[in-house]
Coordinates of all heavy atoms in Angstrom, one line a residue:
K291 N -15.5 9.4 12.3 CA -16.4 9.0 11.3 C -16.3 9.9 10.1 O -16.2 11.1 10.2 CB -17.9 9.1 11.8 CG -18.2 8.1 12.9 CD -19.7 8.2 13.3 CE -20.0 7.2 14.4 NZ -21.5 7.3 14.8
V292 N -16.2 9.3 8.9 CA -16.1 10.0 7.6 C -17.2 9.6 6.7 O -17.5 8.4 6.6 CB -14.7 9.7 6.9 CG1 -14.6 10.5 5.6 CG2 -13.6 10.0 7.8
A293 N -17.9 10.6 6.2 CA -19.1 10.3 5.3 C -18.9 11.0 4.0 O -18.6 12.2 3.9 CB -20.4 10.8 5.9
Q294 N -19.0 10.3 2.9 CA -19.0 10.9 1.5 C -20.1 10.2 0.7 O -20.1 9.0 0.5 CB -17.6 10.7 0.8 CG -16.5 11.6 1.4 CD -15.2 11.5 0.5 OE1 -14.9 10.5 0.0 NE2 -14.5 12.6 0.5
G295 N -21.1 11.1 0.3 CA -22.2 10.5 -0.4 C -23.0 9.6 0.6 O -23.3 10.0 1.7
D296 N -23.3 8.4 0.2 CA -24.0 7.4 1.0 C -23.0 6.5 1.7 O -23.5 5.5 2.3 CB -25.0 6.6 0.2 CG -24.4 5.8 -0.9 OD1 -23.2 6.1 -1.2 OD2 -25.1 5.0 -1.5
K297 N -21.7 6.7 1.6 CA -20.7 5.8 2.2 C -20.2 6.4 3.6 O -20.0 7.6 3.7 CB -19.5 5.6 1.3 CG -19.9 5.1 -0.1 CD -20.5 3.7 0.0 CE -20.8 3.2 -1.4 NZ -21.4 1.8 -1.3
I298 N -20.1 5.6 4.6 CA -19.7 6.0 5.9 C -18.6 5.0 6.3 O -18.7 3.8 6.2 CB -20.8 6.0 6.9 CG1 -21.9 7.0 6.5 CG2 -20.3 6.3 8.3 CD1 -23.1 7.0 7.4
A299 N -17.5 5.5 6.9 CA -16.4 4.7 7.4 C -16.0 5.3 8.8 O -16.1 6.5 9.0 CB -15.2 4.6 6.5
E300 N -15.6 4.4 9.7 CA -15.2 4.9 11.0 C -14.1 4.0 11.6 O -13.9 2.9 11.2 CB -16.4 5.0 12.0 CG -17.1 3.7 12.3 CD -18.3 3.9 13.2 OE1 -18.0 4.5 14.3 OE2 -19.4 3.5 12.9
D301 N -13.4 4.6 12.6 CA -12.4 3.8 13.3 C -12.3 4.4 14.8 O -12.7 5.5 15.0 CB -11.0 4.0 12.6 CG -10.0 3.1 13.2 OD1 -10.4 2.0 13.7 OD2 -8.8 3.4 13.0
S302 N -11.9 3.5 15.7 CA -11.8 3.9 17.1 C -10.5 3.5 17.7 O -9.9 2.4 17.3 CB -12.9 3.3 17.9 OG -14.2 3.7 17.4
I303 N -9.9 4.3 18.6 CA -8.7 3.9 19.2 C -8.7 4.4 20.7 O -9.6 5.2 21.0 CB -7.4 4.6 18.6 CG1 -7.6 6.1 18.6 CG2 -7.2 4.1 17.1 CD1 -6.3 6.8 18.4
S304 N -7.8 3.9 21.5 CA -7.6 4.4 22.9 C -6.2 5.1 22.9 O -5.3 4.6 22.3 CB -7.7 3.2 23.9 OG -8.9 2.7 23.9
F305 N -6.1 6.2 23.6 CA -4.9 6.9 23.7 C -4.7 7.6 25.0 O -5.7 7.8 25.7 CB -4.8 7.9 22.5 CG -5.7 9.1 22.7 CD1 -5.2 10.3 23.1 CD2 -7.1 9.0 22.5 CE1 -6.0 11.4 23.3 CE2 -7.9 10.1 22.7 CZ -7.4 11.3 23.1
N306 N -3.5 7.9 25.3 CA -3.2 8.7 26.5 C -3.3 10.2 26.2 O -2.5 10.7 25.4 CB -1.8 8.4 27.1 CG -1.7 7.0 27.7 OD1 -1.6 6.0 27.0 ND2 -1.9 7.0 29.0
Y307 N -4.2 10.9 26.9 CA -4.4 12.3 26.6 C -3.5 13.1 27.4 O -3.8 13.6 28.5 CB -5.9 12.6 26.9 CG -6.5 13.7 26.1 CD1 -7.9 13.8 26.0 CD2 -5.8 14.5 25.3 CE1 -8.5 14.7 25.3 CE2 -6.4 15.5 24.5 CZ -7.7 15.6 24.5 OH -8.4 16.6 23.7
R308 N -2.3 13.4 26.9 CA -1.2 14.0 27.7 C -1.3 15.5 27.5 O -1.5 16.0 26.4 CB 0.1 13.5 27.3 CG 0.3 12.0 27.7 CD 1.8 11.6 27.4 NE 2.0 10.2 27.9 CZ 1.9 9.1 27.1 NH1 1.5 9.3 25.8 NH2 2.1 7.9 27.6
K309 N -1.1 16.2 28.6 CA -1.0 17.7 28.6 C 0.3 18.2 27.9 O 1.3 17.5 28.0 CB -1.1 18.3 30.0 CG -2.4 18.1 30.7 CD -2.5 18.7 32.0 CE -3.8 18.6 32.7 NZ -3.9 19.2 34.0
T310 N 0.2 19.3 27.3 CA 1.4 19.8 26.6 C 1.3 21.4 26.5 O 0.1 21.8 26.4 CB 1.7 19.2 25.2 OG1 2.8 19.9 24.6 CG2 0.5 19.4 24.3
D311 N 2.4 22.1 26.5 CA 2.3 23.5 26.3 C 2.7 23.8 24.8 O 2.7 25.0 24.4 CB 3.3 24.2 27.2 CG 2.9 24.1 28.7 OD1 1.7 24.1 28.9 OD2 3.8 24.0 29.5
E312 N 2.9 22.8 24.0 CA 3.4 23.0 22.7 C 2.2 23.4 21.7 O 1.2 22.7 21.7 CB 4.1 21.7 22.1 CG 4.6 21.9 20.7 CD 5.2 20.6 20.3 OE1 5.1 19.5 20.9 OE2 5.9 20.6 19.2
K313 N 2.3 24.5 21.0 CA 1.3 24.9 20.0 C 1.6 24.3 18.7 O 2.8 24.1 18.3 CB 1.2 26.4 20.0 CG 0.6 27.0 21.3 CD 0.3 28.5 21.1 CE -0.3 29.0 22.3 NZ -0.7 30.5 22.2
S314 N 0.5 24.1 17.9 CA 0.7 23.5 16.6 C 1.3 24.5 15.6 O 2.0 24.1 14.6 CB -0.7 23.1 16.0 OG -1.5 24.3 15.8
G315 N 1.2 25.8 15.8 CA 1.7 26.8 14.9 C 0.8 27.0 13.7 O 1.1 27.7 12.8
A316 N -0.3 26.3 13.6 CA -1.2 26.4 12.5 C -2.1 27.6 12.6 O -2.2 28.5 11.8 CB -2.0 25.1 12.3
Y317 N -2.9 27.7 13.7 CA -3.8 28.8 14.0 C -4.3 28.6 15.4 O -4.2 27.6 16.1 CB -5.0 28.7 13.0 CG -5.5 27.4 12.7 CD1 -6.1 26.6 13.7 CD2 -5.2 26.8 11.5 CE1 -6.5 25.3 13.4 CE2 -5.6 25.5 11.1 CZ -6.2 24.8 12.1 OH -6.6 23.5 11.8
S318 N -4.8 29.7 15.9 CA -5.3 29.7 17.3 C -6.8 29.4 17.3 O -7.5 29.8 16.3 CB -5.0 31.1 17.9 OG -5.7 31.2 19.2
L319 N -7.3 28.8 18.4 CA -8.7 28.5 18.4 C -9.5 29.8 18.5 O -10.7 29.8 18.1 CB -9.0 27.7 19.7 CG -8.4 26.3 19.7 CD1 -8.9 25.6 21.0 CD2 -8.9 25.5 18.5
S320 N -8.9 30.9 18.9 CA -9.7 32.2 19.0 C -9.7 32.9 17.6 O -10.3 33.9 17.5 CB -9.0 33.1 20.0 OG -7.7 33.4 19.6
D321 N -9.0 32.3 16.6 CA -9.0 32.9 15.3 C -10.2 32.6 14.5 O -10.4 31.5 14.0 CB -7.7 32.4 14.6 CG -7.5 33.1 13.2 OD1 -8.3 34.0 12.9 OD2 -6.6 32.7 12.5
T322 N -11.2 33.6 14.5 CA -12.4 33.3 13.8 C -12.2 33.2 12.3 O -13.1 32.6 11.6 CB -13.4 34.5 14.1 OG1 -12.8 35.7 13.7 CG2 -13.8 34.5 15.6
N323 N -11.1 33.7 11.8 CA -10.9 33.6 10.4 C -10.7 32.2 9.9 O -10.9 31.8 8.8 CB -9.7 34.5 9.9 CG -10.0 35.9 10.0 OD1 -11.1 36.4 9.8 ND2 -8.9 36.7 10.3
A324 N -10.2 31.4 10.9 CA -10.0 30.0 10.5 C -11.2 29.3 10.1 O -11.3 28.5 9.1 CB -9.3 29.2 11.7
E325 N -12.3 29.5 10.9 CA -13.6 28.9 10.5 C -14.1 29.4 9.2 O -14.6 28.7 8.4 CB -14.6 29.1 11.6 CG -14.3 28.5 12.9 CD -14.5 26.9 12.8 OE1 -14.9 26.5 11.8 OE2 -14.1 26.3 13.8
Q326 N -14.0 30.8 9.0 CA -14.4 31.4 7.8 C -13.7 30.8 6.6 O -14.2 30.5 5.5 CB -14.3 32.9 7.8 CG -15.2 33.5 8.9 CD -14.9 35.0 9.1 OE1 -14.0 35.6 8.4 NE2 -15.7 35.7 9.9
N327 N -12.3 30.7 6.7 CA -11.5 30.1 5.6 C -11.9 28.7 5.3 O -11.9 28.3 4.2 CB -10.0 30.2 6.0 CG -9.5 31.6 6.0 OD1 -10.1 32.5 5.4 ND2 -8.4 31.8 6.8
S328 N -12.3 28.0 6.4 CA -12.7 26.6 6.2 C -14.0 26.5 5.4 O -14.1 25.7 4.5 CB -12.9 25.9 7.6 OG -13.4 24.6 7.4
D329 N -15.0 27.4 5.7 CA -16.2 27.4 5.0 C -16.0 27.8 3.5 O -16.6 27.3 2.6 CB -17.2 28.4 5.6 CG -17.6 28.0 7.0 OD1 -17.5 26.8 7.3 OD2 -18.1 28.8 7.8
S330 N -15.1 28.8 3.3 CA -14.8 29.2 2.0 C -14.1 28.1 1.2 O -14.4 27.9 0.0 CB -13.8 30.5 2.0 OG -13.4 30.8 0.7
E331 N -13.2 27.4 1.9 CA -12.6 26.3 1.2 C -13.6 25.2 0.8 O -13.5 24.7 -0.3 CB -11.5 25.7 2.2 CG -10.8 24.5 1.6 CD -9.9 23.8 2.6 OE1 -9.8 24.4 3.7 OE2 -9.4 22.7 2.3
D332 N -14.5 24.9 1.7 CA -15.6 23.9 1.4 C -16.3 24.4 0.1 O -16.7 23.5 -0.7 CB -16.5 23.7 2.5 CG -15.8 23.0 3.7 OD1 -14.7 22.5 3.5 OD2 -16.4 23.0 4.8
S333 N -16.7 25.7 0.1 CA -17.5 26.2 -1.1 C -16.7 26.0 -2.4 O -17.2 25.6 -3.4 CB -17.8 27.6 -0.8 OG -18.5 28.2 -1.9
D334 N -15.4 26.4 -2.3 CA -14.5 26.3 -3.5 C -14.4 24.8 -3.9 O -14.4 24.5 -5.1 CB -13.1 26.9 -3.2 CG -13.2 28.4 -3.0 OD1 -14.1 29.0 -3.5 OD2 -12.2 29.0 -2.4
N335 N -14.2 23.9 -2.9 CA -14.1 22.5 -3.2 C -15.4 22.0 -3.9 O -15.3 21.2 -4.9 CB -13.9 21.7 -1.9 CG -12.5 21.8 -1.4 OD1 -11.6 22.2 -2.2 ND2 -12.3 21.6 -0.1
N336 N -16.6 22.5 -3.5 CA -17.8 22.0 -4.1 C -17.9 22.5 -5.6 O -18.3 21.8 -6.4 CB -19.0 22.6 -3.3 CG -19.2 21.9 -2.0 OD1 -18.7 20.7 -1.8 ND2 -19.7 22.5 -1.0
D337 N -17.5 23.8 -5.8 CA -17.5 24.3 -7.2 C -16.5 23.5 -8.1 O -16.8 23.2 -9.2 CB -17.1 25.8 -7.2 CG -18.2 26.7 -6.6 OD1 -19.3 26.2 -6.5 OD2 -17.9 27.8 -6.2
N338 N -15.3 23.2 -7.5 CA -14.3 22.5 -8.3 C -14.8 21.1 -8.5 O -14.6 20.5 -9.6 CB -13.0 22.4 -7.5 CG -12.3 23.8 -7.4 OD1 -12.5 24.6 -8.3 ND2 -11.5 24.0 -6.4
K339 N -15.5 20.5 -7.6 CA -16.0 19.1 -7.8 C -17.0 19.1 -8.9 O -17.0 18.1 -9.7 CB -16.6 18.6 -6.5 CG -15.6 18.1 -5.4 CD -16.2 17.5 -4.2 CE -15.2 17.1 -3.2 NZ -15.8 16.5 -2.0
K340 N -17.9 20.1 -9.0 CA -18.9 20.1 -10.0 C -18.2 20.2 -11.4 O -18.6 19.4 -12.3 CB -19.8 21.3 -9.9 CG -20.7 21.3 -8.7 CD -21.6 22.5 -8.5 CE -22.5 22.5 -7.3 NZ -23.2 23.7 -7.1
F341 N -17.2 21.0 -11.5 CA -16.5 21.1 -12.8 C -15.8 19.8 -13.1 O -15.8 19.3 -14.2 CB -15.5 22.2 -12.7 CG -14.5 22.3 -13.9 CD1 -15.0 22.8 -15.1 CD2 -13.2 21.8 -13.8 CE1 -14.1 22.8 -16.2 CE2 -12.4 21.8 -14.9 CZ -12.8 22.3 -16.1

Side-chain angles (χ1 to χ4, degrees):
K291 293 183 180 180
V292 182
Q294 286 188 327
D296 60 348
K297 304 296 182 182
I298 299 176
E300 62 180 305
D301 191 23
S302 299
I303 61 164
S304 296
F305 72 102
N306 286 85
Y307 212 163
R308 295 188 174 93
K309 291 182 179 181
T310 177
D311 294 327
E312 182 181 12
K313 291 189 176 182
S314 66
Y317 36 71
S318 170
L319 293 183
S320 61
D321 184 3
T322 56
N323 290 328
E325 293 291 353
Q326 295 172 358
N327 291 337
S328 177
D329 294 339
S330 175
E331 177 188 353
D332 290 350
S333 176
D334 291 340
N335 284 339
N336 290 333
D337 290 339
N338 290 335
K339 284 184 178 180
K340 290 178 182 178
F341 172 78

